[in-house]
Amino acid sequence: GSTVAMEEIMGLEGKVALVTGASRGIGKAIARELAACGATVIINYNGSKEAAEQAAAEIEAAGGKASVIQYSVADPAAVEAMMKQVISEHKRLDILVNNAGITRDNLILKMKEEDFGDVLDTNLKGVFHTSKHAARQMLRQK
């Protein structure tokens, strides 16, 4: 049998990936894996600049390419600005991973409607807004 280089199987060289909520946890692991496969990874974060920069530093130390970008996916105007910045800086977007999410766990009787709204804005509407803007760019790129 023939052997195939990992880059041929998972080759993402020249591809640009945006991972929301990628400063820690599952998002960070996804960002690291995409970078290991050759993609330039944009680590989106909302609150923890230090953690996002550490994730980028780890990717770069392993030979990958990464940058960080701060925007709240819960804010439609911020998502639009984020996508414009990504395209301005990287000229393309090939992969979007909607990973950002928050929790406001509480008993339903004690949960404030505002907290529930924050969860919906980030976890559901954030996916809608980032996907919508990413799809426009991806369609332009075919």
Side-chain angles (χ1 to χ4, degrees), residues 5-115:
M6 187 55 121
E7 292 101 29
E8 291 179 50
I9 298 170
M10 299 292 292
L12 296 177
E13 289 294 328
K15 302 294 184 186
V16 175
L18 171 62
V19 184
T20 67
S23 64
R24 59 189 171 84
I26 293 170
K28 180 179 176 180
I30 292 168
R32 289 172 69 173
E33 188 63 28
L34 288 167
C37 293
T40 296
V41 178
I42 304 158
I43 296 169
N44 161 258
Y45 71 98
N46 186 34
S48 182
K49 181 178 183 178
E50 296 78 20
E53 288 175 345
Q54 178 63 36
E58 289 173 19
I59 287 170
E60 290 170 351
K65 294 175 260 178
S67 61
V68 299
I69 189 168
Q70 179 187 26
Y71 286 98
S72 168
V73 299
D75 178 350
V79 171
E80 184 175 7
M82 175 174 63
M83 290 298 179
K84 285 180 180 176
Q85 183 178 342
V86 166
I87 302 313
S88 173
E89 292 177 5
H90 298 276
K91 310 301 180 220
R92 62 183 302 114
L93 179 62
D94 303 287
I95 300 164
L96 170 65
V97 179
N98 281 304
N99 172 73
I102 62 170
T103 58
R104 298 284 190 266
D105 292 342
N106 207 335
L107 296 172
I108 194 160
L109 295 175
K110 292 184 177 184
M111 185 174 222
K112 297 176 187 166
E113 187 169 345
E114 179 182 322
D115 290 338

